[in-house]
Amino acid sequence: MKIIAYGIRDDEKPYLEEWVKDNKIEVKAVSELLDSNTIEQAKGYD
């Protein structure tokens, strides 16, 4: 599974990285929120 996570803050990154490691899932974390300008980043993700 390949996930993109929008709106991730710096203080959330360590928890996300731990979750990724525990679940062996590829996650791309971006600070931008999901909207019509950032939707293209989601191409190729589940």
Side-chain angles (χ1 to χ4, degrees):
M1 182 175 293
K2 189 174 170 183
I3 298 172
I4 185 167
Y6 287 92
I8 301 299
R9 301 183 317 255
D10 287 339
D11 64 317
E12 296 174 316
K13 286 180 182 179
Y15 301 104
L16 180 60
E17 290 168 0
E18 183 177 333
W19 184 84
V20 166
K21 182 180 172 185
D22 291 344
N23 292 282
K24 296 174 180 58
I25 295 175
E26 181 180 343
V27 177
K28 176 180 178 182
V30 294
S31 59
E32 298 90 359
L33 297 176
L34 176 61
D35 62 23
S36 61
N37 296 317
T38 60
I39 191 68
E40 291 295 317
Q41 294 177 9
K43 282 189 176 179
Y45 288 88
D46 299 317

